[in-house]
Amino acid sequence: DSMDVQVPNSFIAVDPSTLRDTLVEHCRDFQEKLCMLLNEMAKKELFDIYDIIAANKDTIMIKPTDPDELGAALEKLEELQKRGREIESQFDPIEQKYKMLEKEQVNVTDDEKEKLENMRSQWAEFKILMSKADKMLDKSKASIKEGLEASYQEFQSSLASKRQEWDETKPKGAPKPGAGLPHALQFLEKWAEILADFQYREGRIKYGLNIFNIDPAPNADLECMLKEEELLKLIWGLTQEWDNQYETWRTTRVVLTDTVAMGSAAFEFTKKLHKAGKDPTMKSWGCRADLDQRVKDFKATMPLIEGLKDSAMRPRHWRGLKELIDMDFDHEAEDFNLDKTMTLGLAAHSDNILDMVDTAGKERQIEEGLVVVADAWKNINLDMIPIKDGHYKLRASEDVNLALEE
C-alpha cells in the first residue's frame, strides 16, 4: 500500500492508485464470498450427516412385527449401509474445507465446531447401532418366517376346504326351476369376493416368503377355481345375453315372426357359444349343454314357424298337428306367439311337421287345380244327340276337346 505508484513522464504524471484500490477491494469481496460459499457447502455436508443419524437412530431399532415392516426395515438398513460408505468418504473433504476456512480466518459457529469435532465419533456410534439393528432384524426374520410358514399352511388348509365347497355348489349343471341364471349370478358375485380375498392373502404370504428367497409354487386349488370362475362367468354371461335377446322376441305372434332375422341372430350367437365351449372343462357342464340345446331348438323351430305361417295350413292340418304333439292350442289366438311354439316343443317333431306343411302345400295345389277345372267346365254347354234305342251321345265340341286337353 505504501509503494509509490506514480510514474514520471516527460510531460504528465500517472497515478493509478485509485484503480489499484478498487481492484484490491474487488479481490477481497470475491475472497470473502468464496469463503462464505465454502462455509455453506461444508456446513451442509456436515449437517446432512447429523440429519441422517437423527432421522434413523431411533427408527432402525424398532422391531418389525409383520412381513411388510420387516421388508421395509431390511430395505432401509441396506440403504443406510450403502450410503454409509459414501458418507465416510466425505469425512476428509469436510475436514479439509474447515481447515481452509480456518486458514482464511473465517469465523464458523460453535455448533459447527462441535459437530465437526464429534463427526467421526458420532458416525462410529451410529455404525454400532446399525450393527445392532442388523442382528435384531436377523432374529425378527426367524420369528416372522416361522409365522409366515404357519400362515401358509393355514391358508392351504382353508383353501382346500373352500375348494370342496366350490366343487359342491358351483352352478355347472343344467338350470333347475328357480335356480337358473339369477342363482348363478348370485353365486358368482359371492365367490368373486372370496377368491379375491384368497388372491390377496396369497400375494401377502408370497411377498413375505420372497424376503427369505422362498418362492412357493402356485396353489393348484386356487388356480383351478379362478379358471373355472372365468369359464362360469363366460357361459352364464352368454346365457344372460341369449335370455335378453329371446325376451325381445318371445311375445311376437307367429304370423308376424321374422324367422330370417331371428335365425341369422341365432346363427351368430352359436358361433360365439362354440368358441367359448372349446375349453375341455366346460364341455362336460350341463349349463353349457342346456344353452346349446336351447339355441339348437330355437334354430330348428324357425323353419317350422315359417311353414305354419303358410296359408296352405287348413283346420284339418292344425288338428293333425295337435294330435302329433298331443297338446291342444288355439293357433288363431293372440297369445299364439314364439314363446308358445317353443313351449309346445315343436322342434322334437320337426320332420313330421315339415312333412305336414309340405303335404298342405301339395293339397293346396290340388285344390287350386280343381277350382280351375270347375271354372272351366262350368261355362261349357254340353250338346247331347239321340242314337238308336233311346241312347244319347255327346256331340263333338271344340270347347270340350280343349277343356279335356287342358
Side-chain angles (χ1 to χ4, degrees), residues 69-100:
E69 292 180 1
L70 177 61
L74 289 170
E75 183 178 349
K76 184 176 184 179
L77 182 60
E78 182 181 1
E79 181 185 354
L80 286 172
Q81 290 171 338
K82 180 180 179 180
R83 194 171 180 184
R85 291 186 287 273
E86 299 175 0
I87 290 173
E88 290 176 354
S89 67
Q90 294 177 352
F91 289 166
D92 287 342
I94 291 173
E95 291 172 342
Q96 288 297 326
K97 288 183 178 71
Y98 276 100
K99 285 181 179 179
M100 290 178 63

PDB file of all heavy atoms in Angstrom, residues 69-100:
ATOM      1  N   GLU A  69     -43.408 -54.722   7.510  1.00  0.00           N
ATOM      2  CA  GLU A  69     -42.475 -53.951   8.333  1.00  0.00           C
ATOM      3  C   GLU A  69     -41.058 -54.505   8.217  1.00  0.00           C
ATOM      4  O   GLU A  69     -40.086 -53.744   8.181  1.00  0.00           O
ATOM      5  CB  GLU A  69     -42.935 -53.967   9.790  1.00  0.00           C
ATOM      6  CG  GLU A  69     -44.234 -53.198  10.039  1.00  0.00           C
ATOM      7  CD  GLU A  69     -44.658 -53.239  11.498  1.00  0.00           C
ATOM      8  OE1 GLU A  69     -43.916 -53.847  12.309  1.00  0.00           O
ATOM      9  OE2 GLU A  69     -45.718 -52.663  11.831  1.00  0.00           O
ATOM     10  N   LEU A  70     -40.931 -55.833   8.165  1.00  0.00           N
ATOM     11  CA  LEU A  70     -39.606 -56.448   8.034  1.00  0.00           C
ATOM     12  C   LEU A  70     -38.974 -56.063   6.702  1.00  0.00           C
ATOM     13  O   LEU A  70     -37.790 -55.689   6.651  1.00  0.00           O
ATOM     14  CB  LEU A  70     -39.729 -57.967   8.136  1.00  0.00           C
ATOM     15  CG  LEU A  70     -38.429 -58.751   7.935  1.00  0.00           C
ATOM     16  CD1 LEU A  70     -37.394 -58.380   9.000  1.00  0.00           C
ATOM     17  CD2 LEU A  70     -38.696 -60.255   7.954  1.00  0.00           C
ATOM     18  N   GLY A  71     -39.748 -56.158   5.629  1.00  0.00           N
ATOM     19  CA  GLY A  71     -39.214 -55.796   4.316  1.00  0.00           C
ATOM     20  C   GLY A  71     -38.766 -54.353   4.268  1.00  0.00           C
ATOM     21  O   GLY A  71     -37.705 -54.035   3.721  1.00  0.00           O
ATOM     22  N   ALA A  72     -39.580 -53.462   4.847  1.00  0.00           N
ATOM     23  CA  ALA A  72     -39.227 -52.041   4.858  1.00  0.00           C
ATOM     24  C   ALA A  72     -37.981 -51.796   5.696  1.00  0.00           C
ATOM     25  O   ALA A  72     -37.105 -50.995   5.320  1.00  0.00           O
ATOM     26  CB  ALA A  72     -40.396 -51.224   5.397  1.00  0.00           C
ATOM     27  N   ALA A  73     -37.875 -52.490   6.848  1.00  0.00           N
ATOM     28  CA  ALA A  73     -36.726 -52.303   7.731  1.00  0.00           C
ATOM     29  C   ALA A  73     -35.445 -52.807   7.074  1.00  0.00           C
ATOM     30  O   ALA A  73     -34.387 -52.159   7.164  1.00  0.00           O
ATOM     31  CB  ALA A  73     -36.961 -53.033   9.058  1.00  0.00           C
ATOM     32  N   LEU A  74     -35.508 -53.957   6.417  1.00  0.00           N
ATOM     33  CA  LEU A  74     -34.333 -54.508   5.730  1.00  0.00           C
ATOM     34  C   LEU A  74     -33.901 -53.598   4.589  1.00  0.00           C
ATOM     35  O   LEU A  74     -32.695 -53.353   4.394  1.00  0.00           O
ATOM     36  CB  LEU A  74     -34.646 -55.902   5.199  1.00  0.00           C
ATOM     37  CG  LEU A  74     -34.793 -57.014   6.246  1.00  0.00           C
ATOM     38  CD1 LEU A  74     -35.333 -58.279   5.608  1.00  0.00           C
ATOM     39  CD2 LEU A  74     -33.454 -57.289   6.927  1.00  0.00           C
ATOM     40  N   GLU A  75     -34.865 -53.093   3.854  1.00  0.00           N
ATOM     41  CA  GLU A  75     -34.544 -52.200   2.747  1.00  0.00           C
ATOM     42  C   GLU A  75     -33.915 -50.905   3.257  1.00  0.00           C
ATOM     43  O   GLU A  75     -32.942 -50.398   2.675  1.00  0.00           O
ATOM     44  CB  GLU A  75     -35.826 -51.897   1.972  1.00  0.00           C
ATOM     45  CG  GLU A  75     -35.612 -51.040   0.740  1.00  0.00           C
ATOM     46  CD  GLU A  75     -36.893 -50.803  -0.041  1.00  0.00           C
ATOM     47  OE1 GLU A  75     -37.903 -51.467   0.265  1.00  0.00           O
ATOM     48  OE2 GLU A  75     -36.878 -49.950  -0.958  1.00  0.00           O
ATOM     49  N   LYS A  76     -34.444 -50.403   4.356  1.00  0.00           N
ATOM     50  CA  LYS A  76     -33.922 -49.163   4.918  1.00  0.00           C
ATOM     51  C   LYS A  76     -32.503 -49.353   5.449  1.00  0.00           C
ATOM     52  O   LYS A  76     -31.619 -48.510   5.225  1.00  0.00           O
ATOM     53  CB  LYS A  76     -34.838 -48.697   6.056  1.00  0.00           C
ATOM     54  CG  LYS A  76     -34.447 -47.361   6.656  1.00  0.00           C
ATOM     55  CD  LYS A  76     -35.470 -46.938   7.692  1.00  0.00           C
ATOM     56  CE  LYS A  76     -35.162 -45.551   8.233  1.00  0.00           C
ATOM     57  NZ  LYS A  76     -36.162 -45.105   9.227  1.00  0.00           N
ATOM     58  N   LEU A  77     -32.265 -50.470   6.150  1.00  0.00           N
ATOM     59  CA  LEU A  77     -30.937 -50.725   6.700  1.00  0.00           C
ATOM     60  C   LEU A  77     -29.918 -50.924   5.581  1.00  0.00           C
ATOM     61  O   LEU A  77     -28.784 -50.425   5.654  1.00  0.00           O
ATOM     62  CB  LEU A  77     -30.975 -51.958   7.606  1.00  0.00           C
ATOM     63  CG  LEU A  77     -29.650 -52.308   8.300  1.00  0.00           C
ATOM     64  CD1 LEU A  77     -29.204 -51.148   9.195  1.00  0.00           C
ATOM     65  CD2 LEU A  77     -29.795 -53.589   9.113  1.00  0.00           C
ATOM     66  N   GLU A  78     -30.323 -51.635   4.521  1.00  0.00           N
ATOM     67  CA  GLU A  78     -29.424 -51.842   3.389  1.00  0.00           C
ATOM     68  C   GLU A  78     -29.060 -50.511   2.738  1.00  0.00           C
ATOM     69  O   GLU A  78     -27.899 -50.276   2.359  1.00  0.00           O
ATOM     70  CB  GLU A  78     -30.084 -52.773   2.367  1.00  0.00           C
ATOM     71  CG  GLU A  78     -29.193 -53.083   1.172  1.00  0.00           C
ATOM     72  CD  GLU A  78     -29.884 -53.988   0.173  1.00  0.00           C
ATOM     73  OE1 GLU A  78     -31.053 -54.353   0.397  1.00  0.00           O
ATOM     74  OE2 GLU A  78     -29.246 -54.318  -0.850  1.00  0.00           O
ATOM     75  N   GLU A  79     -30.035 -49.632   2.633  1.00  0.00           N
ATOM     76  CA  GLU A  79     -29.781 -48.314   2.047  1.00  0.00           C
ATOM     77  C   GLU A  79     -28.819 -47.501   2.922  1.00  0.00           C
ATOM     78  O   GLU A  79     -27.912 -46.823   2.409  1.00  0.00           O
ATOM     79  CB  GLU A  79     -31.110 -47.571   1.886  1.00  0.00           C
ATOM     80  CG  GLU A  79     -30.960 -46.185   1.268  1.00  0.00           C
ATOM     81  CD  GLU A  79     -32.273 -45.419   1.219  1.00  0.00           C
ATOM     82  OE1 GLU A  79     -33.312 -46.013   1.566  1.00  0.00           O
ATOM     83  OE2 GLU A  79     -32.238 -44.227   0.869  1.00  0.00           O
ATOM     84  N   LEU A  80     -29.023 -47.568   4.260  1.00  0.00           N
ATOM     85  CA  LEU A  80     -28.140 -46.836   5.175  1.00  0.00           C
ATOM     86  C   LEU A  80     -26.717 -47.365   5.111  1.00  0.00           C
ATOM     87  O   LEU A  80     -25.744 -46.593   5.133  1.00  0.00           O
ATOM     88  CB  LEU A  80     -28.675 -46.924   6.603  1.00  0.00           C
ATOM     89  CG  LEU A  80     -29.901 -46.068   6.916  1.00  0.00           C
ATOM     90  CD1 LEU A  80     -30.439 -46.412   8.303  1.00  0.00           C
ATOM     91  CD2 LEU A  80     -29.557 -44.584   6.834  1.00  0.00           C
ATOM     92  N   GLN A  81     -26.573 -48.678   5.023  1.00  0.00           N
ATOM     93  CA  GLN A  81     -25.236 -49.276   4.956  1.00  0.00           C
ATOM     94  C   GLN A  81     -24.528 -48.885   3.667  1.00  0.00           C
ATOM     95  O   GLN A  81     -23.323 -48.600   3.666  1.00  0.00           O
ATOM     96  CB  GLN A  81     -25.344 -50.795   5.081  1.00  0.00           C
ATOM     97  CG  GLN A  81     -25.763 -51.257   6.474  1.00  0.00           C
ATOM     98  CD  GLN A  81     -26.082 -52.741   6.528  1.00  0.00           C
ATOM     99  OE1 GLN A  81     -26.385 -53.355   5.513  1.00  0.00           O
ATOM    100  NE2 GLN A  81     -26.038 -53.321   7.719  1.00  0.00           N
ATOM    101  N   LYS A  82     -25.282 -48.869   2.588  1.00  0.00           N
ATOM    102  CA  LYS A  82     -24.704 -48.461   1.310  1.00  0.00           C
ATOM    103  C   LYS A  82     -24.344 -46.986   1.337  1.00  0.00           C
ATOM    104  O   LYS A  82     -23.254 -46.584   0.876  1.00  0.00           O
ATOM    105  CB  LYS A  82     -25.703 -48.749   0.189  1.00  0.00           C
ATOM    106  CG  LYS A  82     -25.200 -48.359  -1.193  1.00  0.00           C
ATOM    107  CD  LYS A  82     -26.244 -48.686  -2.250  1.00  0.00           C
ATOM    108  CE  LYS A  82     -25.751 -48.269  -3.630  1.00  0.00           C
ATOM    109  NZ  LYS A  82     -26.760 -48.567  -4.690  1.00  0.00           N
ATOM    110  N   ARG A  83     -25.221 -46.176   1.883  1.00  0.00           N
ATOM    111  CA  ARG A  83     -24.970 -44.732   1.950  1.00  0.00           C
ATOM    112  C   ARG A  83     -23.866 -44.407   2.945  1.00  0.00           C
ATOM    113  O   ARG A  83     -23.167 -43.401   2.806  1.00  0.00           O
ATOM    114  CB  ARG A  83     -26.254 -44.017   2.341  1.00  0.00           C
ATOM    115  CG  ARG A  83     -26.201 -42.515   2.122  1.00  0.00           C
ATOM    116  CD  ARG A  83     -27.551 -41.883   2.311  1.00  0.00           C
ATOM    117  NE  ARG A  83     -27.499 -40.452   2.100  1.00  0.00           N
ATOM    118  CZ  ARG A  83     -28.537 -39.634   2.272  1.00  0.00           C
ATOM    119  NH1 ARG A  83     -29.707 -40.134   2.646  1.00  0.00           N
ATOM    120  NH2 ARG A  83     -28.410 -38.333   2.064  1.00  0.00           N
ATOM    121  N   GLY A  84     -23.725 -45.281   3.956  1.00  0.00           N
ATOM    122  CA  GLY A  84     -22.690 -45.058   4.971  1.00  0.00           C
ATOM    123  C   GLY A  84     -21.293 -45.016   4.371  1.00  0.00           C
ATOM    124  O   GLY A  84     -20.437 -44.221   4.801  1.00  0.00           O
ATOM    125  N   ARG A  85     -21.047 -45.859   3.374  1.00  0.00           N
ATOM    126  CA  ARG A  85     -19.724 -45.857   2.743  1.00  0.00           C
ATOM    127  C   ARG A  85     -19.480 -44.542   2.006  1.00  0.00           C
ATOM    128  O   ARG A  85     -18.350 -44.043   1.971  1.00  0.00           O
ATOM    129  CB  ARG A  85     -19.624 -47.045   1.787  1.00  0.00           C
ATOM    130  CG  ARG A  85     -19.586 -48.395   2.500  1.00  0.00           C
ATOM    131  CD  ARG A  85     -19.346 -49.547   1.540  1.00  0.00           C
ATOM    132  NE  ARG A  85     -20.508 -49.835   0.711  1.00  0.00           N
ATOM    133  CZ  ARG A  85     -21.486 -50.654   1.073  1.00  0.00           C
ATOM    134  NH1 ARG A  85     -21.443 -51.258   2.266  1.00  0.00           N
ATOM    135  NH2 ARG A  85     -22.503 -50.886   0.272  1.00  0.00           N
ATOM    136  N   GLU A  86     -20.513 -43.996   1.426  1.00  0.00           N
ATOM    137  CA  GLU A  86     -20.381 -42.698   0.757  1.00  0.00           C
ATOM    138  C   GLU A  86     -20.133 -41.591   1.785  1.00  0.00           C
ATOM    139  O   GLU A  86     -19.332 -40.677   1.543  1.00  0.00           O
ATOM    140  CB  GLU A  86     -21.651 -42.388  -0.043  1.00  0.00           C
ATOM    141  CG  GLU A  86     -21.957 -43.404  -1.147  1.00  0.00           C
ATOM    142  CD  GLU A  86     -23.287 -43.128  -1.820  1.00  0.00           C
ATOM    143  OE1 GLU A  86     -23.954 -42.150  -1.410  1.00  0.00           O
ATOM    144  OE2 GLU A  86     -23.660 -43.869  -2.741  1.00  0.00           O
ATOM    145  N   ILE A  87     -20.828 -41.681   2.919  1.00  0.00           N
ATOM    146  CA  ILE A  87     -20.676 -40.662   3.962  1.00  0.00           C
ATOM    147  C   ILE A  87     -19.263 -40.668   4.527  1.00  0.00           C
ATOM    148  O   ILE A  87     -18.639 -39.603   4.729  1.00  0.00           O
ATOM    149  CB  ILE A  87     -21.715 -40.891   5.075  1.00  0.00           C
ATOM    150  CG1 ILE A  87     -23.122 -40.556   4.545  1.00  0.00           C
ATOM    151  CG2 ILE A  87     -21.393 -40.047   6.307  1.00  0.00           C
ATOM    152  CD1 ILE A  87     -24.231 -40.900   5.507  1.00  0.00           C
ATOM    153  N   GLU A  88     -18.732 -41.848   4.786  1.00  0.00           N
ATOM    154  CA  GLU A  88     -17.372 -41.940   5.344  1.00  0.00           C
ATOM    155  C   GLU A  88     -16.333 -41.361   4.389  1.00  0.00           C
ATOM    156  O   GLU A  88     -15.314 -40.810   4.813  1.00  0.00           O
ATOM    157  CB  GLU A  88     -17.043 -43.390   5.665  1.00  0.00           C
ATOM    158  CG  GLU A  88     -17.839 -43.928   6.860  1.00  0.00           C
ATOM    159  CD  GLU A  88     -17.575 -45.403   7.112  1.00  0.00           C
ATOM    160  OE1 GLU A  88     -16.863 -46.014   6.292  1.00  0.00           O
ATOM    161  OE2 GLU A  88     -18.078 -45.933   8.106  1.00  0.00           O
ATOM    162  N   SER A  89     -16.613 -41.486   3.092  1.00  0.00           N
ATOM    163  CA  SER A  89     -15.667 -40.919   2.110  1.00  0.00           C
ATOM    164  C   SER A  89     -15.720 -39.394   2.095  1.00  0.00           C
ATOM    165  O   SER A  89     -14.839 -38.746   1.508  1.00  0.00           O
ATOM    166  CB  SER A  89     -15.994 -41.463   0.715  1.00  0.00           C
ATOM    167  OG  SER A  89     -17.250 -40.973   0.263  1.00  0.00           O
ATOM    168  N   GLN A  90     -16.731 -38.793   2.755  1.00  0.00           N
ATOM    169  CA  GLN A  90     -16.855 -37.334   2.798  1.00  0.00           C
ATOM    170  C   GLN A  90     -16.128 -36.721   3.995  1.00  0.00           C
ATOM    171  O   GLN A  90     -15.944 -35.494   4.047  1.00  0.00           O
ATOM    172  CB  GLN A  90     -18.338 -36.938   2.867  1.00  0.00           C
ATOM    173  CG  GLN A  90     -19.135 -37.296   1.624  1.00  0.00           C
ATOM    174  CD  GLN A  90     -20.608 -36.950   1.780  1.00  0.00           C
ATOM    175  OE1 GLN A  90     -21.055 -36.581   2.866  1.00  0.00           O
ATOM    176  NE2 GLN A  90     -21.362 -37.057   0.694  1.00  0.00           N
ATOM    177  N   PHE A  91     -15.714 -37.554   4.971  1.00  0.00           N
ATOM    178  CA  PHE A  91     -15.107 -37.006   6.194  1.00  0.00           C
ATOM    179  C   PHE A  91     -13.887 -36.154   5.890  1.00  0.00           C
ATOM    180  O   PHE A  91     -13.790 -34.997   6.354  1.00  0.00           O
ATOM    181  CB  PHE A  91     -14.729 -38.136   7.157  1.00  0.00           C
ATOM    182  CG  PHE A  91     -15.917 -38.807   7.798  1.00  0.00           C
ATOM    183  CD1 PHE A  91     -15.782 -40.016   8.468  1.00  0.00           C
ATOM    184  CD2 PHE A  91     -17.176 -38.230   7.752  1.00  0.00           C
ATOM    185  CE1 PHE A  91     -16.861 -40.635   9.064  1.00  0.00           C
ATOM    186  CE2 PHE A  91     -18.266 -38.843   8.345  1.00  0.00           C
ATOM    187  CZ  PHE A  91     -18.113 -40.051   8.995  1.00  0.00           C
ATOM    188  N   ASP A  92     -12.946 -36.704   5.164  1.00  0.00           N
ATOM    189  CA  ASP A  92     -11.708 -35.961   4.871  1.00  0.00           C
ATOM    190  C   ASP A  92     -11.977 -34.673   4.106  1.00  0.00           C
ATOM    191  O   ASP A  92     -11.456 -33.602   4.487  1.00  0.00           O
ATOM    192  CB  ASP A  92     -10.736 -36.854   4.096  1.00  0.00           C
ATOM    193  CG  ASP A  92     -10.118 -37.931   4.988  1.00  0.00           C
ATOM    194  OD1 ASP A  92     -10.164 -37.783   6.231  1.00  0.00           O
ATOM    195  OD2 ASP A  92      -9.600 -38.930   4.448  1.00  0.00           O
ATOM    196  N   PRO A  93     -12.791 -34.696   3.027  1.00  0.00           N
ATOM    197  CA  PRO A  93     -13.069 -33.442   2.320  1.00  0.00           C
ATOM    198  C   PRO A  93     -13.730 -32.384   3.204  1.00  0.00           C
ATOM    199  O   PRO A  93     -13.427 -31.192   3.081  1.00  0.00           O
ATOM    200  CB  PRO A  93     -14.012 -33.875   1.189  1.00  0.00           C
ATOM    201  CG  PRO A  93     -13.671 -35.296   0.940  1.00  0.00           C
ATOM    202  CD  PRO A  93     -13.329 -35.856   2.279  1.00  0.00           C
ATOM    203  N   ILE A  94     -14.618 -32.814   4.107  1.00  0.00           N
ATOM    204  CA  ILE A  94     -15.265 -31.844   5.003  1.00  0.00           C
ATOM    205  C   ILE A  94     -14.233 -31.210   5.922  1.00  0.00           C
ATOM    206  O   ILE A  94     -14.213 -29.974   6.125  1.00  0.00           O
ATOM    207  CB  ILE A  94     -16.383 -32.527   5.818  1.00  0.00           C
ATOM    208  CG1 ILE A  94     -17.544 -32.905   4.911  1.00  0.00           C
ATOM    209  CG2 ILE A  94     -16.877 -31.598   6.932  1.00  0.00           C
ATOM    210  CD1 ILE A  94     -18.616 -33.722   5.597  1.00  0.00           C
ATOM    211  N   GLU A  95     -13.376 -32.033   6.496  1.00  0.00           N
ATOM    212  CA  GLU A  95     -12.333 -31.500   7.393  1.00  0.00           C
ATOM    213  C   GLU A  95     -11.377 -30.585   6.650  1.00  0.00           C
ATOM    214  O   GLU A  95     -10.931 -29.551   7.189  1.00  0.00           O
ATOM    215  CB  GLU A  95     -11.592 -32.664   8.040  1.00  0.00           C
ATOM    216  CG  GLU A  95     -12.455 -33.431   9.045  1.00  0.00           C
ATOM    217  CD  GLU A  95     -11.793 -34.703   9.556  1.00  0.00           C
ATOM    218  OE1 GLU A  95     -10.843 -35.180   8.911  1.00  0.00           O
ATOM    219  OE2 GLU A  95     -12.216 -35.219  10.605  1.00  0.00           O
ATOM    220  N   GLN A  96     -11.058 -30.917   5.401  1.00  0.00           N
ATOM    221  CA  GLN A  96     -10.186 -30.062   4.609  1.00  0.00           C
ATOM    222  C   GLN A  96     -10.837 -28.697   4.353  1.00  0.00           C
ATOM    223  O   GLN A  96     -10.161 -27.665   4.395  1.00  0.00           O
ATOM    224  CB  GLN A  96      -9.875 -30.752   3.264  1.00  0.00           C
ATOM    225  CG  GLN A  96      -8.946 -31.947   3.361  1.00  0.00           C
ATOM    226  CD  GLN A  96      -7.561 -31.552   3.866  1.00  0.00           C
ATOM    227  OE1 GLN A  96      -7.050 -30.461   3.583  1.00  0.00           O
ATOM    228  NE2 GLN A  96      -6.948 -32.443   4.642  1.00  0.00           N
ATOM    229  N   LYS A  97     -12.126 -28.718   4.127  1.00  0.00           N
ATOM    230  CA  LYS A  97     -12.826 -27.444   3.896  1.00  0.00           C
ATOM    231  C   LYS A  97     -12.734 -26.559   5.128  1.00  0.00           C
ATOM    232  O   LYS A  97     -12.490 -25.339   5.034  1.00  0.00           O
ATOM    233  CB  LYS A  97     -14.285 -27.708   3.541  1.00  0.00           C
ATOM    234  CG  LYS A  97     -14.522 -28.300   2.159  1.00  0.00           C
ATOM    235  CD  LYS A  97     -16.015 -28.441   1.886  1.00  0.00           C
ATOM    236  CE  LYS A  97     -16.289 -28.997   0.492  1.00  0.00           C
ATOM    237  NZ  LYS A  97     -15.936 -30.396   0.338  1.00  0.00           N
ATOM    238  N   TYR A  98     -12.941 -27.133   6.307  1.00  0.00           N
ATOM    239  CA  TYR A  98     -12.886 -26.323   7.531  1.00  0.00           C
ATOM    240  C   TYR A  98     -11.466 -25.860   7.840  1.00  0.00           C
ATOM    241  O   TYR A  98     -11.272 -24.783   8.433  1.00  0.00           O
ATOM    242  CB  TYR A  98     -13.485 -27.105   8.711  1.00  0.00           C
ATOM    243  CG  TYR A  98     -14.993 -26.975   8.771  1.00  0.00           C
ATOM    244  CD1 TYR A  98     -15.815 -27.980   8.285  1.00  0.00           C
ATOM    245  CD2 TYR A  98     -15.594 -25.834   9.290  1.00  0.00           C
ATOM    246  CE1 TYR A  98     -17.201 -27.868   8.321  1.00  0.00           C
ATOM    247  CE2 TYR A  98     -16.972 -25.705   9.332  1.00  0.00           C
ATOM    248  CZ  TYR A  98     -17.772 -26.712   8.845  1.00  0.00           C
ATOM    249  OH  TYR A  98     -19.145 -26.586   8.880  1.00  0.00           O
ATOM    250  N   LYS A  99     -10.446 -26.612   7.455  1.00  0.00           N
ATOM    251  CA  LYS A  99      -9.062 -26.161   7.636  1.00  0.00           C
ATOM    252  C   LYS A  99      -8.787 -24.950   6.754  1.00  0.00           C
ATOM    253  O   LYS A  99      -8.092 -24.006   7.162  1.00  0.00           O
ATOM    254  CB  LYS A  99      -8.102 -27.287   7.304  1.00  0.00           C
ATOM    255  CG  LYS A  99      -8.038 -28.368   8.377  1.00  0.00           C
ATOM    256  CD  LYS A  99      -7.030 -29.461   8.008  1.00  0.00           C
ATOM    257  CE  LYS A  99      -6.965 -30.534   9.108  1.00  0.00           C
ATOM    258  NZ  LYS A  99      -6.003 -31.608   8.743  1.00  0.00           N
ATOM    259  N   MET A 100      -9.344 -24.998   5.536  1.00  0.00           N
ATOM    260  CA  MET A 100      -9.173 -23.851   4.635  1.00  0.00           C
ATOM    261  C   MET A 100      -9.877 -22.626   5.200  1.00  0.00           C
ATOM    262  O   MET A 100      -9.360 -21.505   5.125  1.00  0.00           O
ATOM    263  CB  MET A 100      -9.728 -24.187   3.252  1.00  0.00           C
ATOM    264  CG  MET A 100      -8.906 -25.225   2.489  1.00  0.00           C
ATOM    265  SD  MET A 100      -9.643 -25.634   0.898  1.00  0.00           S
ATOM    266  CE  MET A 100      -9.547 -24.049   0.087  1.00  0.00           C
TER     267      MET A 100
END
